[in-house]
Amino acid sequence: MRNTVFRKLMANEFGQVRAELMASDHVLSALGGRTPDQALDEGIPAKEIWVAVCDAFEVPEHRR
């Protein structure tokens, strides 16, 4: 999954503004105490980050 696809999925699920705030501010334990943006910057695959976000916010399986 590319970063652009990750951003689009985030915006579609949470809305553009909330998605941007979540990516920059929400620390996820599944990402080792990183925000999604930090995890992307450190080279963690976007798909892994998306799964962590979905788990944290209980996104239904059919929308993942």
Side-chain angles (χ1 to χ4, degrees):
M1 173 186 298
R2 292 181 171 194
N3 186 6
T4 54
V5 173
F6 170 75
R7 299 283 180 195
K8 185 175 181 177
L9 289 169
M10 289 284 290
N12 288 342
E13 184 63 35
F14 302 108
Q16 187 66 41
V17 174
R18 184 172 181 217
E20 289 175 15
L21 289 172
M22 287 170 58
S24 65
D25 295 339
H26 195 82
V27 175
L28 298 171
S29 60
L31 298 175
R34 297 175 186 91
T35 67
D37 283 346
Q38 288 170 330
L40 285 168
D41 289 344
E42 292 181 20
I44 295 174
K47 185 173 183 177
E48 185 177 327
I49 298 167
W50 174 242
V51 169
V53 169
C54 289
D55 288 346
F57 289 92
E58 299 178 353
V59 174
E61 198 67 38
H62 69 277
R63 292 200 314 253
R64 293 181 179 212

